[in-house]
Each structure stands twice: as C-alpha cells, then as structure tokens.
Short mmCIF file of all heavy atoms in Angstrom, two decimals:
data_model
loop_
_atom_site.label_atom_id
_atom_site.label_comp_id
_atom_site.label_asym_id
_atom_site.label_seq_id
_atom_site.Cartn_x
_atom_site.Cartn_y
_atom_site.Cartn_z
N ALA G 24 -58.94 -18.09 79.41
CA ALA G 24 -59.01 -18.03 80.91
C ALA G 24 -59.97 -19.06 81.46
O ALA G 24 -59.66 -19.74 82.46
CB ALA G 24 -59.58 -16.64 81.31
N VAL G 25 -61.05 -19.34 80.83
CA VAL G 25 -61.93 -20.43 81.21
C VAL G 25 -61.27 -21.76 81.15
O VAL G 25 -61.28 -22.59 82.10
CB VAL G 25 -63.24 -20.42 80.38
CG1 VAL G 25 -64.03 -21.68 80.66
CG2 VAL G 25 -64.05 -19.15 80.83
N LEU G 26 -60.51 -22.07 80.08
CA LEU G 26 -59.86 -23.27 79.92
C LEU G 26 -58.79 -23.45 80.95
O LEU G 26 -58.53 -24.66 81.40
CB LEU G 26 -59.23 -23.44 78.56
CG LEU G 26 -60.23 -23.72 77.38
CD1 LEU G 26 -59.43 -23.62 76.05
CD2 LEU G 26 -60.90 -25.03 77.59
N HIS G 27 -58.13 -22.49 81.42
CA HIS G 27 -57.16 -22.50 82.45
C HIS G 27 -57.79 -22.86 83.82
O HIS G 27 -57.02 -23.30 84.67
CB HIS G 27 -56.30 -21.15 82.53
CG HIS G 27 -55.25 -21.20 81.56
ND1 HIS G 27 -54.10 -21.97 81.65
CD2 HIS G 27 -55.08 -20.52 80.43
CE1 HIS G 27 -53.28 -21.68 80.59
NE2 HIS G 27 -53.87 -20.81 79.89
N THR G 28 -59.01 -22.73 83.93
CA THR G 28 -59.71 -23.14 85.31
C THR G 28 -59.97 -24.60 85.30
O THR G 28 -60.33 -25.16 86.32
CB THR G 28 -60.98 -22.29 85.52
OG1 THR G 28 -61.90 -22.69 84.55
CG2 THR G 28 -60.70 -20.77 85.46
N ALA G 29 -60.00 -25.25 84.11
CA ALA G 29 -60.36 -26.64 84.03
C ALA G 29 -59.20 -27.52 84.54
O ALA G 29 -58.05 -27.31 84.29
CB ALA G 29 -60.73 -27.03 82.61
N ASN G 30 -59.62 -28.59 85.16
CA ASN G 30 -58.61 -29.58 85.72
C ASN G 30 -58.39 -30.70 84.67
O ASN G 30 -57.47 -31.55 84.96
CB ASN G 30 -59.05 -30.17 87.01
CG ASN G 30 -59.09 -29.11 88.19
OD1 ASN G 30 -58.32 -28.17 88.19
ND2 ASN G 30 -60.12 -29.23 88.99
N GLU G 31 -59.11 -30.69 83.60
CA GLU G 31 -59.01 -31.78 82.58
C GLU G 31 -59.52 -31.28 81.28
O GLU G 31 -60.13 -30.20 81.31
CB GLU G 31 -59.84 -32.96 83.00
CG GLU G 31 -61.26 -32.63 83.28
CD GLU G 31 -62.03 -33.88 83.91
OE1 GLU G 31 -61.39 -34.79 84.32
OE2 GLU G 31 -63.27 -33.72 84.06
N PRO G 32 -59.30 -31.89 80.21
CA PRO G 32 -59.91 -31.43 78.94
C PRO G 32 -61.43 -31.35 79.01
O PRO G 32 -62.08 -32.10 79.68
CB PRO G 32 -59.49 -32.53 77.92
CG PRO G 32 -58.29 -33.18 78.56
CD PRO G 32 -58.55 -33.12 79.99
N VAL G 33 -62.01 -30.28 78.37
CA VAL G 33 -63.39 -29.96 78.50
C VAL G 33 -64.02 -29.77 77.17
O VAL G 33 -63.33 -29.44 76.22
CB VAL G 33 -63.68 -28.73 79.47
CG1 VAL G 33 -63.17 -29.07 80.92
CG2 VAL G 33 -62.89 -27.55 78.87
N SER G 34 -65.32 -29.91 77.20
CA SER G 34 -66.09 -29.73 75.94
C SER G 34 -66.39 -28.17 75.57
O SER G 34 -66.22 -27.36 76.58
CB SER G 34 -67.52 -30.42 76.07
OG SER G 34 -68.22 -29.76 77.07
N ALA G 35 -66.78 -27.91 74.48
CA ALA G 35 -67.16 -26.57 74.01
C ALA G 35 -68.40 -26.11 74.86
O ALA G 35 -68.44 -24.99 75.21
CB ALA G 35 -67.38 -26.51 72.58
N ALA G 36 -69.31 -27.05 75.10
CA ALA G 36 -70.45 -26.74 75.89
C ALA G 36 -70.10 -26.32 77.34
O ALA G 36 -70.68 -25.37 77.89
CB ALA G 36 -71.42 -27.94 75.99
N TRP G 37 -69.14 -27.01 77.85
CA TRP G 37 -68.57 -26.63 79.22
C TRP G 37 -68.04 -25.23 79.20
O TRP G 37 -68.32 -24.41 80.08
CB TRP G 37 -67.52 -27.66 79.66
CG TRP G 37 -67.07 -27.46 81.08
CD1 TRP G 37 -67.53 -28.13 82.13
CD2 TRP G 37 -65.92 -26.66 81.46
NE1 TRP G 37 -66.77 -27.75 83.32
CE2 TRP G 37 -65.85 -26.87 82.95
CE3 TRP G 37 -65.04 -25.77 80.89
CZ2 TRP G 37 -64.87 -26.24 83.71
CZ3 TRP G 37 -64.13 -25.10 81.68
CH2 TRP G 37 -64.01 -25.34 83.02
N VAL G 38 -67.28 -24.91 78.22
CA VAL G 38 -66.61 -23.60 78.08
C VAL G 38 -67.72 -22.50 77.91
O VAL G 38 -67.71 -21.52 78.60
CB VAL G 38 -65.64 -23.47 76.88
CG1 VAL G 38 -65.22 -22.09 76.54
CG2 VAL G 38 -64.49 -24.43 76.99
N ARG G 39 -68.69 -22.81 77.02
CA ARG G 39 -69.82 -21.88 76.84
C ARG G 39 -70.55 -21.64 78.17
O ARG G 39 -70.89 -20.49 78.38
CB ARG G 39 -70.82 -22.43 75.78
CG ARG G 39 -71.97 -21.44 75.48
CD ARG G 39 -72.81 -22.18 74.45
NE ARG G 39 -74.02 -21.34 74.19
CZ ARG G 39 -75.23 -21.54 74.82
NH1 ARG G 39 -75.36 -22.42 75.67
NH2 ARG G 39 -76.24 -20.69 74.60
N GLU G 40 -70.84 -22.68 78.94
CA GLU G 40 -71.48 -22.52 80.27
C GLU G 40 -70.71 -21.55 81.10
O GLU G 40 -71.36 -20.74 81.82
CB GLU G 40 -71.77 -23.91 80.80
CG GLU G 40 -72.52 -23.86 82.11
CD GLU G 40 -72.65 -25.27 82.59
OE1 GLU G 40 -73.16 -26.03 81.98
OE2 GLU G 40 -72.22 -25.53 83.80
N ARG G 41 -69.45 -21.78 81.19
CA ARG G 41 -68.60 -20.93 82.03
C ARG G 41 -68.48 -19.45 81.59
O ARG G 41 -68.25 -18.57 82.40
CB ARG G 41 -67.21 -21.52 82.21
CG ARG G 41 -67.08 -22.95 82.84
CD ARG G 41 -67.81 -23.10 84.06
NE ARG G 41 -67.77 -24.44 84.65
CZ ARG G 41 -68.36 -25.46 84.34
NH1 ARG G 41 -69.11 -25.47 83.20
NH2 ARG G 41 -68.27 -26.65 85.01
N LEU G 42 -68.65 -19.23 80.31
CA LEU G 42 -68.62 -17.90 79.82
C LEU G 42 -69.98 -17.20 80.07
O LEU G 42 -70.05 -16.01 79.73
CB LEU G 42 -68.35 -17.90 78.29
CG LEU G 42 -66.88 -18.28 77.88
CD1 LEU G 42 -66.85 -18.51 76.42
CD2 LEU G 42 -65.90 -17.29 78.36
N GLY G 43 -70.89 -17.80 80.58
CA GLY G 43 -72.18 -17.21 80.86
C GLY G 43 -73.37 -17.64 80.05
O GLY G 43 -74.48 -17.19 80.24
N GLY G 44 -72.99 -18.29 78.94
CA GLY G 44 -74.12 -18.90 78.13
C GLY G 44 -74.79 -17.95 77.21
O GLY G 44 -75.69 -18.23 76.55
N ASP G 45 -74.22 -16.65 77.10
CA ASP G 45 -74.92 -15.68 76.18
C ASP G 45 -74.37 -15.80 74.84
O ASP G 45 -74.86 -15.24 73.84
CB ASP G 45 -74.82 -14.32 76.75
CG ASP G 45 -73.32 -13.81 76.81
OD1 ASP G 45 -72.44 -14.60 77.04
OD2 ASP G 45 -73.16 -12.59 76.81
N LEU G 46 -73.39 -16.58 74.60
CA LEU G 46 -72.74 -16.81 73.28
C LEU G 46 -73.36 -18.05 72.59
O LEU G 46 -73.72 -19.01 73.34
CB LEU G 46 -71.24 -17.05 73.41
CG LEU G 46 -70.46 -15.82 73.79
CD1 LEU G 46 -68.96 -16.35 74.02
CD2 LEU G 46 -70.51 -14.78 72.83
N ALA G 47 -73.50 -17.99 71.33
CA ALA G 47 -73.88 -19.24 70.59
C ALA G 47 -72.92 -20.29 70.68
O ALA G 47 -71.70 -20.00 70.69
CB ALA G 47 -74.24 -18.81 69.16
N TYR G 48 -73.23 -21.53 70.68
CA TYR G 48 -72.39 -22.59 70.75
C TYR G 48 -71.39 -22.61 69.54
O TYR G 48 -70.29 -22.89 69.67
CB TYR G 48 -73.19 -24.03 70.71
CG TYR G 48 -72.25 -25.19 70.63
CD1 TYR G 48 -71.77 -25.68 71.90
CD2 TYR G 48 -72.03 -25.86 69.43
CE1 TYR G 48 -70.90 -26.77 71.89
CE2 TYR G 48 -71.26 -26.95 69.41
CZ TYR G 48 -70.66 -27.46 70.62
OH TYR G 48 -69.94 -28.54 70.65
N THR G 49 -71.92 -22.14 68.35
CA THR G 49 -71.12 -22.11 67.15
C THR G 49 -70.08 -21.06 67.31
O THR G 49 -68.87 -21.19 66.82
CB THR G 49 -71.91 -21.87 65.92
OG1 THR G 49 -72.76 -20.60 66.14
CG2 THR G 49 -72.81 -22.97 65.58
N THR G 50 -70.38 -19.96 68.08
CA THR G 50 -69.34 -18.96 68.28
C THR G 50 -68.26 -19.42 69.17
O THR G 50 -66.99 -19.29 68.91
CB THR G 50 -69.97 -17.67 68.97
OG1 THR G 50 -70.96 -17.22 68.07
CG2 THR G 50 -68.97 -16.62 69.24
N VAL G 51 -68.56 -20.22 70.21
CA VAL G 51 -67.62 -20.81 71.01
C VAL G 51 -66.70 -21.77 70.29
O VAL G 51 -65.49 -21.81 70.34
CB VAL G 51 -68.22 -21.50 72.27
CG1 VAL G 51 -67.14 -22.34 73.09
CG2 VAL G 51 -68.90 -20.46 73.12
N MET G 52 -67.31 -22.60 69.33
CA MET G 52 -66.52 -23.53 68.52
C MET G 52 -65.66 -22.78 67.62
O MET G 52 -64.49 -23.19 67.41
CB MET G 52 -67.53 -24.41 67.78
CG MET G 52 -68.16 -25.57 68.57
SD MET G 52 -66.90 -26.61 69.24
CE MET G 52 -66.16 -27.26 67.81
N THR G 53 -66.09 -21.68 67.06
CA THR G 53 -65.27 -20.96 66.12
C THR G 53 -64.10 -20.37 66.89
O THR G 53 -62.92 -20.44 66.38
CB THR G 53 -66.09 -19.69 65.52
OG1 THR G 53 -67.18 -20.29 64.70
CG2 THR G 53 -65.20 -18.88 64.71
N ILE G 54 -64.20 -19.88 68.06
CA ILE G 54 -63.05 -19.34 68.82
C ILE G 54 -62.20 -20.50 69.25
O ILE G 54 -60.92 -20.22 69.11
CB ILE G 54 -63.59 -18.56 70.13
CG1 ILE G 54 -64.41 -17.33 69.72
CG2 ILE G 54 -62.47 -18.24 71.04
CD1 ILE G 54 -63.71 -16.34 68.96
N LEU G 55 -62.68 -21.58 69.68
CA LEU G 55 -61.80 -22.67 69.95
C LEU G 55 -61.00 -23.18 68.72
O LEU G 55 -59.81 -23.43 68.88
CB LEU G 55 -62.62 -23.89 70.52
CG LEU G 55 -63.17 -23.63 71.99
CD1 LEU G 55 -64.18 -24.71 72.33
CD2 LEU G 55 -61.96 -23.68 72.96
N SER G 56 -61.65 -23.14 67.62
CA SER G 56 -60.99 -23.58 66.32
C SER G 56 -59.88 -22.56 65.99
O SER G 56 -58.72 -23.05 65.63
CB SER G 56 -61.99 -23.74 65.25
OG SER G 56 -62.91 -24.77 65.49
N ARG G 57 -60.15 -21.29 66.15
CA ARG G 57 -59.12 -20.31 65.81
C ARG G 57 -58.01 -20.38 66.82
O ARG G 57 -56.85 -20.31 66.39
CB ARG G 57 -59.72 -18.90 65.92
CG ARG G 57 -60.62 -18.59 64.75
CD ARG G 57 -61.20 -17.20 64.92
NE ARG G 57 -62.06 -16.95 63.77
CZ ARG G 57 -62.97 -15.92 63.71
NH1 ARG G 57 -63.22 -15.20 64.76
NH2 ARG G 57 -63.75 -15.74 62.69
N LEU G 58 -58.24 -20.67 68.05
CA LEU G 58 -57.18 -20.83 69.03
C LEU G 58 -56.40 -22.07 68.74
O LEU G 58 -55.15 -22.11 68.89
CB LEU G 58 -57.78 -20.92 70.49
CG LEU G 58 -58.28 -19.59 71.02
CD1 LEU G 58 -59.14 -19.80 72.31
CD2 LEU G 58 -57.21 -18.61 71.29
N GLY G 59 -57.04 -23.06 68.25
CA GLY G 59 -56.38 -24.29 67.83
C GLY G 59 -55.43 -24.05 66.62
O GLY G 59 -54.29 -24.54 66.67
#
C-alpha cells in the first residue's frame, strides 16, 4: 500500500518512514525481499 503511494521507485528507508517508523529497517528489508 505504501509503495503504491509513491510516484517513483523508493528506498526501504522511505517505506519504513511511511509505515510509521516503529519497524526495524531490517524488517522492512525482509518484507521487501519476500515481496520481490
């Protein structure tokens, strides 16, 4: 859902920030890798 709000490719840090920042960066990277 967060990625769909982006107008261009974005970093994992950008995704983490939009999710509220309560997740570890490594967790966001793991989710992005799984989605990949």
